[in-house]
Amino acid sequence: MSSSSLSKLPSTDRDDVVARLRESLLGAEFTADGLLELLGAPAYAALARSETVPALRATRGDSPLETLVRLFLLQQPAECARVAAVLPVEECVESGWLTRAGDDEVAAAVDVRPYGGPDGEDWFIVSDLGCAVGGAGGIGSRAEGVVLGVGGASTTLSGITVRTPVESALDLGTGSGIQALHATRHATRVVATDLNPRALHMTALTLALSGAGPADLHEGSLFEPVGDETYDLIVSNPPFVISPGARLTYRDGGMAGDDLCRTLVQEAGARLNEGGYAQFLANWQHIDGEEWTDRLRSWVPRGCDAWVVQREVQDITQYAELWLRDAGDHRTDPAEYAALYDAWLDEFEARKVRGVGFGWITLRKAPEGVEPSVTVEEWPHSVEQPLGDTVRAHFERLDYLRTHDDAALLGAHFKLAGEVVQEQVGLPGAEDPEHVVLRQHRGMRRATKVDTIGAGFAGVCDGTLSAGRILDAIAQLVGEDPVLLRDRTPAQIRMLVEQGFLEPAQV
């Protein structure tokens, strides 16, 4: 990235201008809540899809907020006099936040997008103009070093991240700095890296304009910029797209197939402190003759527990079309588009790839001497975000089950997790159900089949009686041998604890 391309961005050296700009934006209610109130839900949702017409129609007035929305979000030039009523125009032009657009107009130099923090913080994400994610027409730029703003992937990762207080956090491939911004809330030291120096500059702007603490910014690929440093938390929304070549830094990793994601996961284990988490979004190949679950298990580094969740699978044609549209290639010459599409399918066919999976990978550095646990599953159903507490609880349950054999489980006390309901499935009028389903309405929103013993057991768990005493009571009620019931039920109890239907109770 040339120094000239960075010089076109706002300066990071004018703290006074950034402070005044932030104060002006907040004073005009240029916030996530303010936008929703001004635009209304339909136009606000359309703006998140990069569809601007409803927002243009909703901002035809002269209020300060309407001026800011048209200037920074809709990239419409505005009269200097109108902007001067809201912002310190001369200082913003001098420091690069605004540019002159004719004799009496100014335009935004970057996209500044309000972003609501998890505890109601008023944050701002700074990215390249026209590069908000999610529009049907693509990001609007095919520039190699473009820096994108907030998208579904970035909000997904921020939602699944474990948010316990930590000493050190690393945001690898920071982009516009969204993950680093979240990390400043609970990490004493935040480090952010990116191969693209323009992205590091955007991250610095995002943190400063959001009023957050600074991060240590380092340029380079993967873990190279941080050497042998270790962290309590590593997060990455990497350039995971599996593509021929490496045209676009923001999405293409530059390695063959899914090697970038594999390398990132495998190298993360050595950079984690004991008990630390590494959390990634990733794509992986589904290859003829190979189980995708085995492929993902082979990525997990030694000494780490892992939880891999596949959220979606696309065939190779869907996948190629998705990312061609994302880059706006469908708006090019039809022959060029067809050539790019062909190249993508040639690459997949050469590698015997029949589909591409997308999902989350969470690692946790296991204690020394403990046999790690690796869970790889497919869960395409809806979940409740944020999921960070659910992810943390998953690994805490693993620790509990590792230290409790069947005898210990029978002596333990359990409580039914919150908002779990029972569904009975069977023919209308039948005396007994064909099967019973327990369903969660929180977290992963899992559903699992249980037998009548398991359903009865879960229903009585309120923490007062041990599992063994509950089973003895059930055995007497249904006329079963209590010894046999104690022998065969711990596996079902273990499953209900592992999936979060039952929680160990403190007695």
Side-chain angles (χ1 to χ4, degrees), residues 309-313 358 360 377-383 444:
V309 181
Q310 179 167 274
R311 297 286 290 156
E312 180 183 7
V313 182
F358 167 80
W360 320 322
E377 62 176 321
E378 185 164 20
W379 189 253
H381 312 292
S382 65
V383 299
M444 291 292 286

Side-chain angles (χ1 to χ4, degrees), residues 267-337:
E267 293 184 356
R271 270 75 177 191
L272 282 177
N273 297 324
E274 185 174 314
Y277 288 90
Q279 299 187 261
F280 314 101
L281 300 185
N283 274 170
W284 44 80
Q285 298 171 140
H286 284 233
I287 295 177
D288 282 335
E290 177 183 272
E291 288 293 331
W292 71 271
T293 53
D294 293 339
R295 184 177 192 82
L296 270 295
R297 287 179 183 277
S298 73
W299 289 11
V300 177
R302 182 175 301 176
C304 287
D305 295 317
W307 185 19
V308 180
V309 181
Q310 179 167 274
R311 297 286 290 156
E312 180 183 7
V313 182
Q314 291 184 312
D315 67 48
I316 57 175
T317 58
Q318 291 174 313
Y319 189 79
E321 291 163 13
L322 168 68
W323 292 108
L324 287 168
R325 285 185 170 273
D326 174 82
D329 291 319
H330 61 302
R331 297 195 301 267
T332 64
D333 175 73
E336 181 182 354
Y337 174 81

Side-chain angles (χ1 to χ4, degrees), residues 252-448:
D252 300 324
M255 295 187 184
D258 52 17
D259 281 355
L260 181 132
C261 291
R262 175 186 57 79
T263 301
L264 179 60
V265 173
Q266 289 180 337
E267 293 184 356
R271 270 75 177 191
L272 282 177
N273 297 324
E274 185 174 314
Y277 288 90
Q279 299 187 261
F280 314 101
L281 300 185
N283 274 170
W284 44 80
Q285 298 171 140
H286 284 233
I287 295 177
D288 282 335
E290 177 183 272
E291 288 293 331
W292 71 271
T293 53
D294 293 339
R295 184 177 192 82
L296 270 295
R297 287 179 183 277
S298 73
W299 289 11
V300 177
R302 182 175 301 176
C304 287
D305 295 317
W307 185 19
V308 180
V309 181
Q310 179 167 274
R311 297 286 290 156
E312 180 183 7
V313 182
Q314 291 184 312
D315 67 48
I316 57 175
T317 58
Q318 291 174 313
Y319 189 79
E321 291 163 13
L322 168 68
W323 292 108
L324 287 168
R325 285 185 170 273
D326 174 82
D329 291 319
H330 61 302
R331 297 195 301 267
T332 64
D333 175 73
E336 181 182 354
Y337 174 81
L340 290 169
Y341 200 153
D342 260 336
W344 223 304
L345 297 185
D346 285 344
E347 181 85 4
F348 283 138
E349 289 175 7
R351 297 180 178 279
K352 298 182 179 180
V353 178
R354 54 183 169 79
V356 178
F358 167 80
W360 320 322
I361 299 175
T362 300
L363 307 177
R364 187 191 61 166
K365 193 66 171 284
E368 196 71 34
V370 169
E371 181 66 27
S373 170
V374 178
T375 301
V376 182
E377 62 176 321
E378 185 164 20
W379 189 253
H381 312 292
S382 65
V383 299
E384 179 192 41
Q385 283 278 32
L387 267 177
D389 287 345
T390 299
V391 173
R392 176 181 49 78
H394 168 87
F395 288 95
E396 290 176 348
R397 292 193 299 270
L398 288 182
D399 290 339
Y400 178 87
L401 292 172
R402 271 197 287 235
T403 57
H404 287 69
D405 58 16
D406 287 355
L409 282 182
L410 292 174
H413 295 239
F414 299 97
K415 294 188 302 181
L416 188 66
E419 296 193 41
V420 172
V421 299
Q422 175 180 306
E423 300 173 359
Q424 297 189 165
V425 181
L427 294 174
E431 184 175 343
D432 296 313
E434 293 178 14
H435 58 263
V436 178
V437 174
L438 298 182
R439 187 178 300 278
Q440 301 168 349
H441 285 273
R442 302 296 303 273
M444 291 292 286
R445 294 174 175 162
R446 294 186 185 278
T448 189

